Amino acid sequence: MAPLKFCANISWLFTELPDFSRRMSAAAQAGFQAVEAAWLYDTEPPELRRAARAAGVEVVLINTPPGDVEAGDLGLGAVPGRESEFRQGLEMAVKYANSLDCKRIHLMAGRVPVGADRTAVAKEMEAVFVQNLSYAADVLSKEGIIGLIEPINTRITDPRYFLDSPHQAAGILEKVGKPNIKLQMDIFHWQIMDGNLTQNIHKYFPMIGHIQIAQVPGRNEPDSAGELNYSYLFNTLENLNYQGYIGCEYKPQGSTQQGLGWIKDYWTHKPGHKS
């Protein structure tokens, strides 16, 4: 079994440092060979590219722009009437991804509009999402990039997020039917919404293009106190021969460095790891 590959999410880790460039360097010094980030759009692509090269890290995932955060946006992929803005955001994400040689973009679904009933707008939002994902698939296929959709839990993290379960996401992916649009499994969200992780991982494994991790319910280090047994989950993914990256998207309880004991233990016991 090949060891799992981990990447540091520098929107969550190494935030002791003020900018992404220095976080990339810190991630490399900690042993990571790859990083991911949510939104890098406050920094120009050439600067990020130089920083990644200087640190010797691969950038493996970025998100599409969130939209108007102050107005409550968190992605636009499934939001009716915002299709042109979604396409503009996708264009920007592709520009950044190409500059960084990044081969995965999380296509954020967005939130149910304020005042709308989720059940009443579900069909319309799904139709918009399928249409936007089909458009994105064609754009991304020309660039050799994988698009990802990620269910985000609506019980703790974001009550209005449209895409909130692996089952909903799988149904949408089947309707899109494009091989370069895949499922992003954040185990934190999946546990909160549905549990049944072993069965869900096996069931949806062929669709999975990226994974993220954090403990439940605190969203801290994987080895912090909580509901999830990550030794078992890592072993499950190894047995399935998972070849993609696992993003460390969690809130360190103290400093980032102090909380990396779990991954240093993994690397120590898995010779030949590629973080």
Side-chain angles (χ1 to χ4, degrees):
M1 293 181 295
L4 299 171
K5 300 185 298 183
F6 294 90
C7 59
N9 188 307
I10 54 174
S11 297
W12 291 71
L13 303 187
F14 303 103
T15 57
E16 299 90 347
L17 301 168
D19 58 76
F20 285 119
S21 298
R22 280 188 271 184
R23 293 178 197 175
M24 288 181 185
S25 178
Q29 291 172 16
F32 289 98
Q33 297 176 21
V35 299
E36 64 179 27
W39 303 297
L40 298 162
Y41 302 110
D42 288 340
T43 308
E44 289 300 314
E47 180 182 338
L48 293 169
R49 182 179 179 88
R50 284 193 297 270
R53 285 186 168 181
V57 294
E58 180 183 359
V59 180
V60 300
L61 172 74
I62 61 173
N63 293 357
T64 48
D68 187 345
V69 175
E70 291 186 4
D73 290 339
L74 191 68
L76 300 172
V79 183
R82 308 289 294 278
E83 291 86 348
S84 64
E85 293 170 79
F86 171 80
R87 293 186 178 195
Q88 292 169 6
L90 177 65
E91 182 180 349
M92 179 181 287
V94 168
K95 173 186 173 183
Y96 271 73
N98 282 337
S99 178
L100 294 166
D101 297 320
C102 175
K103 297 303 181 185
R104 296 166 196 82
I105 296 176
H106 170 202
L107 307 165
M108 300 198 72
R111 291 170 168 150
V112 174
V114 174
D117 176 74
R118 177 182 292 272
T119 304
V121 299
K123 285 188 177 180
E124 181 187 9
M125 292 190 72
E126 180 179 284
V128 169
F129 202 22
V130 169
Q131 182 181 29
N132 280 335
L133 291 174
S134 298
Y135 172 83
D138 293 338
V139 171
L140 297 179
S141 67
K142 297 171 186 174
E143 309 294 340
I145 295 172
I146 296 292
L148 297 156
I149 64 172
E150 177 193 10
I152 294 175
N153 82 81
T154 50
R155 289 180 171 151
I156 296 175
T157 301
D158 198 320
R160 287 181 27 238
Y161 202 75
F162 170 69
L163 187 68
D164 69 354
S165 80
H167 319 297
Q168 180 192 13
I172 288 170
L173 289 175
E174 288 172 1
K175 290 183 178 180
V176 174
K178 302 285 188 176
N180 67 326
I181 305 294
K182 294 184 175 294
L183 181 57
Q184 181 168 315
M185 176 178 73
D186 188 321
I187 294 176
F188 170 80
H189 295 305
W190 284 33
Q191 168 68 4
I192 291 168
M193 288 306 296
D194 197 64
N196 196 29
L197 288 175
T198 303
Q199 294 301 317
N200 283 337
I201 290 170
H202 279 85
K203 180 177 182 179
Y204 297 119
F205 188 76
M207 297 182 175
I208 293 173
H210 190 68
I211 294 173
Q212 292 175 326
I213 57 172
Q215 186 56 270
V216 176
R219 209 168 188 179
N220 304 122
E221 288 88 346
D223 65 341
S224 60
E227 300 174 14
L228 298 177
N229 179 349
Y230 270 102
S231 294
Y232 169 80
L233 292 169
F234 292 159
N235 189 60
T236 299
L237 293 171
E238 289 170 356
N239 287 335
L240 287 167
N241 196 31
Y242 176 64
Q243 297 289 308
Y245 279 95
I246 298 176
C248 303
E249 189 184 68
Y250 60 79
K251 297 178 290 187
Q253 291 179 308
S255 73
T256 301
Q257 280 286 358
Q258 289 171 340
L260 291 176
W262 68 273
I263 197 167
K264 294 184 184 299
D265 286 345
Y266 183 89
W267 290 337
T268 298
H269 293 100
K270 300 286 181 179
H273 77 88
K274 182 181 180 183
S275 49

